[in-house]
């Protein structure tokens, strides 16, 4: 149970379908980057691609103020419609990722795919991009990925990552985790250790009740923000994303939900993605990991499963604890980026210029 606690707690961070209230703008200056400026050239306020098990794709969009939208895949028109629409596309050839080009009758288009990439050796591998920011820009897809552990990647998976152009992998796990379950990387990828809990003495006492488990998860989230290991690790990740012009960058931990979840939340928040969107992305780990988590809990006695479940979950209160720690220590998220992670205004502009369209 002790090792399970470290693997799940260090690997832990947000769940549920309940909502979290975003920090309100106030005299203290607590607001998300780029909040009040809508200068986008992209007319789409919504656009999604969702792959189904039968090989079909559900496409949905909303392009306010336009009269016509056309969507292409592999250079061929696969859907047409008005400003708002939903269609199902079938009969496309199998691919690692099927990309779709959304184009309205005016303005800039979008290049989108399903966020999740199905691999044989992971359950929580997905694209960080495809989200709209508060300025109306969009986070590019195919540039940054997040994942659970990579030790079970198959040769087919490694080949897929090569085709996805994964050039740099940041491993957020502890030394014990890295030794026990070493990453299997695509050929030529650069491997970077970014141990979030390096030097931390936390998580040595396993919880004995569900409430203790929840408190442990909240403490872990705060440590990701305030701990020296967390500050160094997340600075490495953001610097790596900003500096790696070759792309693509991948960061991961064991379950791909807590340490990885805060890396993802930090990047998306820095780019100006609304917090409710960041939360929804964070909570998606509950869906992607549902079968794996259920299998773990089914092998435990009921009292132990009740204690262990909060460690496997992701919950809004976990993510909130990270944002609360940012506010308590730095006042604003921009100050966290600058003083905590060393990302100044110029570097933040570079990050946005590299990863945003519109």
């Amino acid at each position: 149970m002790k090792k399970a606690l470290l693997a799940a707690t260090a690997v832990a961070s947000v769940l549920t379908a309940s909502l979290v209230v975003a920090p309100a703008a106030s005299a203290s200056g607590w607001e998300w980057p780029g909040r009040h400026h809508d200068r986008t050239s992209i007319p789409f306020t919504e656009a999604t691609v969702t792959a189904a098990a039968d090989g079909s794709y559900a496409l949905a969009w909303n392009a306010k103020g336009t009269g016509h939208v056309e969507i292409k895949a592999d250079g061929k028109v696969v859907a047409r419609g008005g400003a708002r629409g939903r269609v199902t596309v079938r009969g496309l050839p199998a691919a690692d990722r099927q990309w779709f080009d959304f184009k309205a009758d005016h303005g800039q288009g979008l290049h989108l795919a399903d966020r999740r990439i199905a691999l044989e050796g992971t359950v929580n591998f997905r694209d960080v991009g495809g989200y709209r920011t508060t300025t109306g820009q969009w986070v590019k897809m195919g540039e940054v990925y997040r994942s659970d552990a990579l030790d079970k990647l198959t040769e087919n998976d490694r080949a897929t990552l090569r085709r996805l152009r994964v050039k740099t992998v940041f491993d957020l796990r502890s030394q014990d985790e890295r030794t026990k379950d070493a990453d299997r990387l695509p050929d030529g990828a650069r491997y970077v250790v970014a141990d979030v809990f390096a030097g931390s003495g936390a998580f040595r006492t396993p919880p004995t009740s569900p409430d203790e488990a929840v408190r442990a998860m909240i403490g872990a989230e705060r440590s990701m923000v305030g701990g020296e290991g967390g500050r160094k690790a997340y600075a490495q990740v953001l610097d790596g994303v900003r500096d790696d012009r070759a792309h693509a960058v991948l960061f991961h931990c064991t379950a791909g939900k807590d340490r990885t979840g805060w890396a993802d939340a930090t990047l998306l928040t820095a780019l100006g993605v609304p917090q409710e969107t960041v939360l929804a992305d964070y909570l998606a780990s509950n869906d992607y990991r549902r079968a794996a988590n259920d299998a773990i809990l089914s092998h435990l006695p009921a009292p132990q499963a009740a204690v262990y479940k909060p460690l496997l979950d992701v919950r809004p209160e976990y993510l909130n604890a990270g944002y609360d720690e940012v506010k308590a220590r730095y006042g604003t998220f921009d100050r966290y980026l600058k003083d905590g992670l060393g990302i100044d205004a110029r570097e933040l502009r570079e990050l946005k210029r590299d990863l945003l369209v519109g």
Side-chain angles (χ1 to χ4, degrees):
M1 183 67 175
K2 191 172 186 179
K3 289 184 179 179
L5 171 65
L6 179 58
T9 303
V11 175
S13 233
V14 267
L15 147 111
T16 316
S18 58
L19 292 176
V20 62
V21 179
S26 69
S28 67
W30 183 253
E31 62 179 39
W32 306 118
R35 186 179 179 113
H36 298 298
H37 313 288
D38 195 348
R39 59 178 183 275
T40 182
S41 61
I42 298 176
F44 292 94
T45 57
E46 300 173 27
T48 59
V49 175
T50 306
D54 64 359
S56 65
Y57 296 87
L59 313 180
W61 69 89
N62 187 5
K64 294 179 180 179
T66 66
H68 179 74
V69 170
E70 183 176 87
I71 302 173
K72 292 183 178 180
D74 300 325
K76 300 177 181 178
V77 176
V78 295
R80 291 189 176 95
R84 180 190 293 267
R86 289 180 177 274
V87 299
T88 299
V89 176
R90 305 179 190 278
L92 295 175
D96 294 330
R97 300 186 80 182
Q98 180 61 62
W99 289 90
F100 295 85
D101 291 303
F102 289 66
K103 188 73 174 71
D105 52 24
H106 70 266
Q108 189 172 348
L110 290 172
H111 189 57
L112 302 176
D114 191 333
R115 188 163 289 107
R116 180 174 180 269
I117 296 96
L119 298 176
E120 296 166 347
T122 68
V123 297
N124 201 7
F125 190 106
R126 44 195 164 116
D127 200 310
V128 169
Y131 291 118
R132 190 173 187 262
T133 72
T134 55
T135 65
Q137 297 170 287
W138 285 72
V139 183
K140 294 178 185 176
M141 301 194 82
E143 302 289 335
V144 184
Y145 298 99
R146 54 176 292 177
S147 183
D148 46 337
L150 305 180
D151 60 293
K152 294 181 176 60
L153 291 185
T154 65
E155 288 305 311
N156 287 336
D157 293 338
R158 295 174 70 232
T160 298
L161 264 58
R162 285 195 298 273
R163 291 191 293 271
L164 293 177
R165 302 182 303 115
V166 172
K167 302 295 185 183
T168 305
V169 176
F170 289 92
D171 190 341
L172 307 178
R173 301 175 301 165
S174 69
Q175 182 176 343
D176 286 347
E177 292 169 289
R178 299 192 306 269
T179 301
K180 179 177 178 291
D181 299 308
D183 278 354
R184 303 193 72 234
L185 303 180
D187 293 340
R190 182 170 69 101
Y191 176 74
V192 181
V193 173
D195 187 342
V196 171
F197 291 119
S200 173
F203 325 124
R204 297 196 182 281
T205 304
T208 58
S209 70
D211 286 344
E212 283 187 14
V214 169
R215 287 195 295 271
M217 296 301 294
I218 289 173
E221 193 76 18
R222 288 185 177 276
S223 181
M224 293 177 205
V225 174
E228 182 179 350
R231 292 195 305 273
K232 179 179 178 181
Y234 295 124
Q236 285 178 275
V237 171
L238 262 64
D239 279 340
V241 170
R242 183 177 58 84
D243 292 340
D244 195 336
R245 294 297 182 262
H247 284 141
V249 172
L250 164 64
F251 50 81
H252 81 94
C253 56
T254 296
K257 66 187 185 72
D258 303 310
R259 289 165 289 186
T260 295
W262 183 251
D264 182 69
T266 298
L267 177 59
L268 292 179
T269 303
L271 293 173
V273 175
Q275 192 183 359
E276 59 268 26
T277 304
V278 176
L279 175 64
D281 180 70
Y282 202 52
L283 298 180
S285 285
N286 286 322
D287 295 324
Y288 293 129
R289 293 198 54 82
R290 190 177 307 281
N293 291 347
D294 287 349
I296 293 171
L297 295 174
S298 69
H299 289 88
L300 298 175
Q304 189 176 7
V307 175
Y308 200 52
K309 188 177 188 303
L311 307 180
L312 297 177
D313 285 345
V314 288
R315 303 184 179 185
E317 56 263 41
Y318 303 166
L319 182 60
N320 275 349
Y323 285 123
D324 288 346
E325 189 71 11
V326 167
K327 185 173 183 179
R329 285 178 176 264
Y330 302 99
T332 69
F333 206 87
D334 279 340
R335 295 302 300 184
Y336 167 59
L337 294 175
K338 184 176 184 297
D339 296 341
L341 306 184
I343 304 295
D344 63 23
R346 177 186 59 81
E347 291 167 328
L348 182 57
R349 287 194 298 271
E350 290 177 356
L351 189 70
K352 291 180 177 181
R353 185 167 56 247
D354 195 31
L355 291 181
L356 297 180
V357 293

